[in-house]
Amino acid sequence: MELFPAIPYGEWRETKETVHRFAQVVGKIRLAASARRNHWWNVPFHLTGRGITARPMGQLDGNPIFTIDFDFVAHRLVVSVLDGRTVSFPLVGRSVAAFHDALMDALAGLGIRVRLAVPRPFDLPDAGRPFAEDTEHAAYEPRHAQRYWQVLSQVASVLEEFAAGYEGKVSPVHHFWHTFDIAHTRFSERRVEQPRETDPVTREAYSREVISFGFWFGDDGFPEPAFYSYTAPEPAGLAGEPLRPAAARWVARGESHLAVLRYDDARAEADPRAAVLGFYESAYRAGAGQAGWDAEWLACPGGVTDPQLRRPEAE
């Protein structure tokens, strides 16, 4: 299919808002039932051949090992346990409240007991309303949900290719349910001293100096899909650095800046994949240069770390 097919924010906004909250319900189950990892890496979704998965969890909390998968081809939620038992239900025609209740019933029927510490949306306008009471968000257009997964899959492939070029500590390419973006992050070894009042989520996410790269689908503040990158903490002079391609730009975000390449601008390039890879590389070089990273020492051409193996005679 077409690389980076159209996905205008306005056309699927209602489906996006519903699926985002579905994902937060499942994500909070994952948070409760998985072993904590550095920088919250235990929490995000990963991609599958039919949708997204919360990955195997349980056991450590007394539950059987289980998974929760979104199937955006058949448009069902699938809950499976290690002994082969499975419960699934359709995603179409459900409010967030109905989704929440059906999922909790499915878990209980499989002998899984999970308590959500905060059973409400995280960092969304209706963060004060429990999932179980949200009958407002009930839109689910199958073609929009499937397109969302297809775009995620294509972007994930590009991010995996970009990730191969760095031999330092990196995150997986993963899909965050709180911000509804897909991202990959490079780390330096420098610790970051956060202000005492910084919230626990931010403290853990940014305990080291990072340069992050990703894609989001748009929201009311930026109502269009876009590729992005940022450096945290942001070094002085970052927003004065050049970006590629020409359509990319720095966008102010509070006191910091995002490097942004609009999805439609990438689609308009002669080679969209090369344009996105070039964008990420230019944003990385900007952040690494201003923050004093040794980009050449950290380079990993073609995913190969051993200099001997990089030589033509090793092939």
Side-chain angles (χ1 to χ4, degrees):
M1 61 177 295
E2 176 190 4
L3 179 63
F4 302 153
I7 186 166
Y9 172 73
E11 287 187 9
W12 82 295
R13 173 183 173 181
E14 291 185 350
T15 293
K16 174 185 178 291
E17 290 179 348
T18 300
V19 173
H20 191 173
R21 286 160 178 80
F22 287 178
Q24 288 215 357
V25 175
V26 177
K28 291 201 172 194
I29 292 171
R30 171 78 193 177
L31 178 62
S34 62
R36 180 163 169 171
R37 292 284 309 280
N38 55 303
H39 311 292
W40 305 109
W41 292 353
N42 60 302
V43 178
F45 292 102
H46 289 187
L47 275 290
T48 72
R50 295 179 68 91
I52 58 177
T53 178
R55 295 169 287 144
M57 54 192 144
Q59 185 166 283
L60 61 98
D61 59 357
N63 281 307
I65 293 177
F66 68 101
T67 62
I68 305 176
D69 294 353
F70 286 88
D71 183 336
F72 292 121
V73 178
H75 304 289
R76 300 184 68 85
L77 190 81
V78 184
V79 184
S80 306
V81 291
L82 200 59
D83 62 11
R85 290 176 297 142
T86 297
V87 175
S88 72
F89 57 84
L91 297 169
V92 179
R94 290 185 187 271
S95 67
V96 172
F99 174 89
H100 171 272
D101 293 348
L103 177 50
M104 292 304 169
D105 287 346
L107 293 172
L110 293 168
I112 299 164
R113 291 171 174 79
V114 178
R115 186 184 70 85
L116 304 189
V118 184
R120 303 185 304 275
F122 177 80
D123 200 28
L124 291 176
D126 56 335
R129 176 174 54 193
F131 294 122
E133 298 176 10
D134 183 2
T135 58
E136 173 190 357
H137 297 98
Y140 186 99
E141 171 55 52
R143 64 187 177 89
H144 290 154
Q146 187 172 45
R147 177 57 54 89
Y148 145 71
W149 160 68
Q150 290 168 336
V151 171
L152 270 181
S153 298
Q154 292 184 347
V155 173
S157 179
V158 174
L159 281 169
E160 292 283 3
E161 184 176 358
F162 176 72
Y166 185 82
E167 72 169 39
K169 174 180 172 178
V170 298
S171 77
V173 174
H174 45 200
H175 181 28
F176 286 99
W177 47 263
H178 65 296
T179 45
F180 216 56
D181 61 335
I182 187 167
H184 162 71
T185 302
R186 296 177 173 181
F187 292 75
S188 81
E189 292 302 313
R190 297 176 192 151
R191 294 179 180 271
V192 176
E193 293 297 326
Q194 303 281 357
R196 292 182 61 86
E197 64 272 14
T198 302
D199 67 90
V201 173
T202 302
R203 294 189 72 87
E204 180 61 29
Y206 298 106
S207 62
R208 300 291 188 276
E209 192 175 60
V210 305
I211 306 176
S212 195
F213 315 86
F215 171 84
W216 80 90
F217 289 92
D219 57 26
D220 287 345
F222 194 98
E224 57 184 315
F227 301 92
Y228 70 83
S229 176
Y230 61 84
T231 301
E234 182 173 317
L238 180 67
E241 290 293 303
L243 294 170
R244 303 193 316 269
R249 66 187 189 277
W250 294 100
V251 175
R253 183 185 62 169
E255 297 180 358
S256 59
H257 297 83
L258 280 174
V260 172
L261 174 62
R262 295 170 63 250
Y263 184 65
D264 286 345
D265 287 337
R267 296 180 69 231
E269 292 285 331
D271 186 340
R273 172 186 149 276
V276 173
L277 288 171
F279 167 70
Y280 286 146
E281 183 64 22
S282 68
Y284 168 63
R285 292 286 173 167
Q290 293 297 323
W293 294 22
D294 190 337
E296 300 308 319
W297 186 79
L298 290 166
C300 182
V304 179
T305 59
D306 190 323
Q308 177 70 27
L309 296 178
R310 295 177 189 163
R311 297 173 185 169
E313 61 267 23
E315 295 179 353

